[in-house]
Amino acid sequence: MSARIERLITSGTFSLDGGTWDVDNNVWIVGDDAEVYVIDPAHDAAAIAAAVGGRAVKAVLLTHGHDDHIRYARDFATLVNAPVLMNPADQMLWEDIFPGTTPDGTIADGDVFEVAGTQLTALHTPGHSPGSTCFHAPELGTVFTGDTLFNGGPGATGRSYSDFPTIVASIAGRLMTLPPETVVNTGHGDSTTVAAEAPGIAAAQG
Ligand SMILES: [Fe+2]
């Protein structure tokens, strides 16, 4: 059976630098009737576990360490008996939520995660955070971008550990080089495509 993509939207808060904001997050489930990866299981571990059903979760893949994306990742992983993986460059963000611990494993640029006959390749795209990572699934014609690229442009870079020139360089070098028809499945809000975002990114490069 070939892989498919399921999306859940969950609601909660995002906190950083002393502020807290209400947010809706996209949770992505990629796999088939037997096995899946879950990208960024935010806010509602029980609802996401219900969506997974009885399927095996090969791992929880985190796009980055911001608290809206990770605060319930440990609870969810326990429910479905899966490891949590993250790029260790976001360890300081992880420790804000889970002091004195690490995720169960690391994600590095070029790592390949295989599920249901399809592959997710990790693309390290720093800028929104140092460890921000996208997951490219060429057979599915999509890339999961977390908070690196949204419908409308780059993710936020106004708070700690973020950098605008770095995120623009990541997007231009690693995402705008994907096939133009590639669907961009984001961490918040609607999906978009590489082609639709290309003019805005070109302008941001100056
Ligand atoms: Fe974020």
Side-chain angles (χ1 to χ4, degrees):
M1 182 175 292
S2 59
R4 63 182 185 273
I5 299 167
E6 297 157 68
R7 175 203 197 193
L8 253 77
I9 300 173
T10 59
S11 299
T13 61
F14 165 56
S15 299
L16 190 66
D17 295 343
T20 295
W21 301 266
D22 290 330
V23 284
D24 293 337
N25 283 55
N26 295 325
V27 179
W28 300 99
I29 302 173
V30 184
D32 63 9
D33 288 344
E35 59 179 18
V36 297
Y37 284 106
V38 178
I39 301 173
D40 291 349
H43 302 310
D44 193 337
I48 303 162
V52 167
R55 295 177 287 177
V57 178
K58 298 189 79 173
V60 171
L61 304 178
L62 298 178
T63 60
H64 65 298
H66 281 153
D67 79 323
D68 54 326
H69 295 253
I70 75 168
R71 185 175 293 278
Y72 297 95
R74 181 58 78 201
D75 288 350
F76 172 73
T78 299
L79 283 176
V80 298
N81 192 29
V84 178
L85 310 182
M86 188 187 77
N87 186 305
D90 278 3
Q91 175 64 23
M92 68 292 186
L93 294 166
W94 176 269
E95 292 223 25
D96 283 347
I97 309 302
F98 306 106
T101 72
T102 65
D104 302 306
T106 61
I107 298 173
D109 186 59
D111 282 354
V112 175
F113 301 93
E114 193 153 343
V115 64
T118 200
Q119 292 186 332
L120 297 169
T121 300
L123 307 176
H124 183 213
T125 52
H128 179 67
S129 68
S132 281
T133 296
C134 299
F135 299 98
H136 181 218
E139 296 98 334
L140 298 175
T142 193
V143 62
F144 299 92
T145 56
D147 291 359
T148 291
L149 180 61
F150 291 134
N151 184 327
T157 51
R159 290 184 275 270
S160 294
Y161 313 119
S162 291
D163 185 69
F164 184 72
T166 303
I167 198 173
V168 170
S170 287
I171 294 168
R174 305 304 301 276
L175 301 181
M176 293 299 110
T177 50
L178 300 176
E181 66 276 15
T182 303
V183 173
V184 175
N185 286 322
T186 61
H188 306 274
D190 293 336
S191 297
T192 180
T193 65
V194 166
E197 301 307 321
I201 299 305
Q205 285 181 283

